[in-house]
Amino acid sequence: YDIIRNVVIDNIVIDEKDQDVKQVEETRGLVLQSAQREFLDKDTEGELRSIAQNAGVTTGALYVRFPNKSALFAALVEP
C-alpha cells in the first residue's frame, strides 16, 4: 500500500503520494530560479508571465504558489 499524507507547500495542500510532493517542490524550485534571473535582469520590472514561461509552468501554477510579485520576491529573499 502507498502511504498518503497531507503536505502543505506554498499554501498548497498535497494529499497524494511522495512523487507528487516532489513534483510540487521541483516546480517551486524552477519558478524561484526563473524569478531570480528575471529580477536580476529587469529588477522590479520583471513580469510573472515571463517568469512562468521561462520556468516551463503555467501562469496559473505560478499564481497558486505566489499570489503576486511581492510574494515571489519575498520567497527569494527569505532565509
Side-chain angles (χ1 to χ4, degrees):
Y1 295 95
D2 291 320
I3 296 174
I4 296 178
R5 61 186 176 158
N6 287 328
V7 179
V8 178
I9 302 173
D10 292 331
N11 296 322
I12 302 169
V13 177
I14 308 295
D15 184 21
E16 297 293 333
K17 300 176 186 174
D18 288 338
Q19 71 187 69
D20 294 325
V21 172
K22 289 177 186 173
Q23 182 179 9
V24 169
E25 291 171 340
E26 181 181 315
T27 299
R28 184 181 196 278
L30 292 170
V31 168
L32 289 174
Q33 288 174 2
S34 178
Q36 184 177 30
R37 287 189 303 268
E38 183 83 0
F39 290 137
L40 285 173
D41 288 346
K42 299 179 182 173
D43 198 34
T44 58
E45 298 301 315
E47 296 184 14
L48 293 179
R49 179 175 285 161
S50 177
I51 291 168
Q53 184 178 18
N54 291 330
V57 300
T58 64
T59 53
L62 185 145
Y63 278 109
V64 165
R65 289 160 179 79
F66 306 101
N68 55 48
K69 194 185 304 188
S70 296
L72 180 53
F73 189 80
L76 281 172
V77 298
E78 72 183 11

